[in-house]
Amino acid sequence: MPFQFERSWRNEELDALRDTAVRFIESEMQPQDEEARKRGHVGHALWRRAGELGLLCTDIPEAYGGGGGDFRHEAVIHEEMARRGLTGMSNSVHSIVAHYFLNHGTEAQKRRYLPAMARGELVGAIAMTEPGAGSDLQGIRTRAVRDGDGYVIDGSKTFITNGYLAGVILVVCKTDPSQGARGTSILIVETKDREGFKVGRVLDKMGMKAQDTSELFFDGVRVPAANLLGGQEGQGFFQLMSDLPYERLIIGLAAVACMEGAYGATLAYVRERKAFGRPIAEMQNTKFKLAEVATQIMVGRAFIDRCVEQIVAGTLDTATASMAKLWGSEAQGRVLDELVQLHGGYGFMNEYMVTRMYADARVQRIYGGTSEIMKEVIARAL
Ligand SMILES: Cc1cc2nc3c(=O)[nH]c(=O)nc-3n(C[C@H](O)[C@H](O)[C@H](O)COP(=O)(O)OP(=O)(O)OC[C@H]3O[C@@H](n4cnc5c(N)ncnc54)[C@H](O)[C@@H]3O)c2cc1C
């Protein structure tokens, strides 16, 4: 970065992890990104390679096969991918799923799933959204009915990140439709050879082309009773609510890192590109736009870094995490729009990173709870 900002939480160990992440991203992920965008997924081999290098589940205890770190370890990896506009491998959703197991799973569930997820052998997904219900999760219709020593799941989900490659999916179901929030449970579905389970098409999206976002269908899918997350019915909603700060902070953090990457690329571009006999970097409008963007990045980093410290200390509340998601994703949208403009026609060409980042950024205001829902959550805490 052409301007410096000392991260309050960095240390030598995290720098070393950042170096490993950058080497993996630049030598193994980036060269495959164009193919992954055409295919609609990054493939299993990349996940396993990330696992081999210790880049998955870095904040899961070593006893469960993870890296034994904390949120900062995850942050380093999310940032380096976001900075390079690489959104194909959603290790953020993977980590969110790992946290559901860690925070709410039974001991047997933790032991069964976390080590395999850390190795990249099982890709994780979480399936809440349905064709008829997204923001209003109480409106979901997927049912899990107790039958003997298991549950039978019927329903469908859509827009599920990692849906195509997932080996383990946390499926949010109604176990008692008469009970509202208390009638919701999370069932663990292992996808391999699972009768009645079908992955629909990899959805054709505006951006995040390398990310496998899919529809999922459950037609009488039977899972053992031991696959109820945490072992107690009716806990699904509370399990979902308690993990929201983690998910929302990742989105805010990635937003700032994406802005940084796009800013750096744009600065280089405007210094090269000439119009009216001089680099466009010398025009007052360009300087002012970049000054505004640099200021937003600095302000955003300060807030996000404070949130990182709070989540590590266990004090980040849902409203503050929602502010990180709301501000980060909205600022990212505004900033990417300005940076595309500074690229002129090239800013409309997918071969340019800022162009892809612009398209990818749009969903940051929608998934993980829309901006409108973030405002509702923040307003409730006022
Ligand atoms: C690329 C991508 C990846 C995704 N990954 C996942 C995933 O891994 N797992 C998963 O379960 N889901 C996932 N989603 C789904 C995502 O979380 C939902 O799309 C999102 O929560 C919004 O739900 P919806 O699409 O049903 O929109 P709706 O809920 O139908 O919202 C439509 C509009 O109404 C507004 N609105 C709704 N309620 C209110 C309110 N109370 N006040 C004001 N405005 C309101 C919304 O803000 C929005 O503008 C993903 C979506 C995308 C696009």
Side-chain angles (χ1 to χ4, degrees):
M1 288 296 286
F3 55 90
Q4 293 301 317
F5 188 100
E6 184 64 25
R7 312 301 296 270
S8 50
W9 47 267
R10 67 163 277 262
N11 61 32
E12 277 181 21
E13 184 216 345
L14 291 164
D15 288 348
L17 178 64
R18 198 180 284 276
D19 288 345
T20 306
V22 168
R23 270 198 305 278
F24 165 71
I25 291 165
E26 291 189 343
S27 65
E28 305 195 42
M29 209 176 169
Q30 222 157 18
Q32 296 180 27
D33 190 54
E34 195 177 335
E35 270 309 303
R37 276 187 272 126
K38 284 186 197 143
R39 205 168 47 211
H41 64 84
V42 297
H44 280 292
L46 198 72
W47 279 96
R48 280 195 289 269
R49 182 72 182 130
E52 267 167 33
L53 294 170
L55 296 172
L56 299 176
C57 300
T58 57
D59 59 353
I60 295 296
E62 286 173 6
Y64 300 117
D70 57 41
F71 187 86
R72 296 168 305 166
H73 297 77
E74 287 288 295
V76 159
I77 299 162
H78 298 318
E79 281 184 346
E80 294 306 329
M81 287 187 190
R83 204 165 269 159
R84 290 164 182 77
L86 296 169
T87 48
M89 196 178 119
S90 186
N91 67 325
S92 49
V93 164
H94 188 73
S95 300
I96 288 163
V97 171
H99 271 253
Y100 279 107
F101 283 121
L102 182 69
N103 297 336
H104 311 292
T106 62
E107 191 56 29
Q109 290 166 351
K110 291 180 209 183
R111 296 208 175 276
R112 183 172 176 89
Y113 299 108
L114 288 172
M117 288 182 72
R119 289 193 298 270
E121 288 165 14
L122 275 187
V123 176
I126 175 146
M128 298 173 270
T129 307
E130 299 184 357
S135 303
D136 178 16
L137 274 183
Q138 301 222 25
I140 62 161
R141 297 173 64 174
T142 297
R143 280 293 312 268
V145 176
R146 184 75 198 233
D147 181 36
D149 58 355
Y151 285 91
V152 176
I153 305 173
D154 282 285
S156 64
K157 299 285 180 181
T158 193
F159 306 148
I160 305 309
T161 302
N162 294 344
Y164 180 73
L165 294 175
V168 60
I169 305 178
L170 296 176
V171 185
V172 181
C173 303
K174 288 271 186 200
T175 35
D176 184 351
S178 69
Q179 285 291 314
R182 290 191 181 281
T184 306
S185 304
I186 300 179
L187 272 297
I188 305 162
V189 174
E190 291 176 42
T191 59
K192 193 164 185 285
D193 303 327
R194 182 71 37 195
E195 213 175 307
F197 170 74
K198 209 172 103 220
V199 183
R201 58 207 166 100
V202 171
L203 297 166
D204 179 15
K205 308 187 293 296
M206 174 200 289
M208 294 200 170
K209 296 282 190 185
Q211 165 53 235
D212 55 307
T213 313
S214 303
E215 297 172 304
L216 306 176
F217 300 99
F218 302 85
D219 182 10
V221 173
R222 175 172 274 282
V223 295
N227 284 26
L228 179 66
L229 184 71
Q232 208 191 329
E233 264 188 31
Q235 294 303 303
F237 222 78
F238 309 105
Q239 291 165 341
L240 290 174
M241 294 301 122
S242 72
D243 278 25
L244 290 177
Y246 184 84
E247 176 176 345
R248 291 182 180 161
L249 180 54
I250 293 175
I251 295 174
L253 177 105
V256 175
C258 171
M259 287 190 265
E260 283 173 358
Y263 165 85
T266 306
L267 198 60
Y269 181 82
V270 297
R271 284 175 175 162
E272 282 289 316
R273 179 77 180 171
K274 290 195 176 70
F276 300 97
R278 59 189 175 128
I280 53 173
E282 288 176 14
M283 289 158 186
Q284 190 186 48
N285 176 67
T286 309
K287 289 190 275 190
F288 280 13
K289 289 294 177 198
L290 289 174
E292 283 167 17
V293 167
T295 306
Q296 298 226 42
I297 293 171
M298 294 294 262
V299 171
R301 264 191 178 191
F303 176 49
I304 294 292
D305 279 350
R306 181 164 161 270
C307 291
V308 170
E309 286 169 343
Q310 286 184 326
I311 206 165
V312 171
T315 58
L316 184 68
D317 60 88
T318 299
T320 309
S322 302
M323 289 175 183
K325 197 229 169 223
L326 174 67
W327 188 89
S329 60
E330 294 282 340
Q332 184 185 7
R334 286 192 302 271
V335 160
L336 263 298
D337 189 57
E338 295 289 8
L339 298 180
V340 162
Q341 187 69 15
L342 290 177
H343 278 74
Y346 295 96
F348 201 65
M349 299 298 133
N350 276 325
E351 69 182 275
Y352 278 78
M353 184 177 77
V354 287
T355 316
R356 300 194 299 272
M357 283 176 155
Y358 172 81
D360 292 357
R362 189 61 188 87
V363 78
Q364 290 261 95
R365 289 183 259 166
I366 296 170
Y367 62 17
T370 64
S371 286
E372 293 72 33
I373 295 299
M374 293 306 102
K375 291 178 199 173
E376 282 287 338
V377 173
I378 296 161
R380 256 178 250 147
L382 299 181

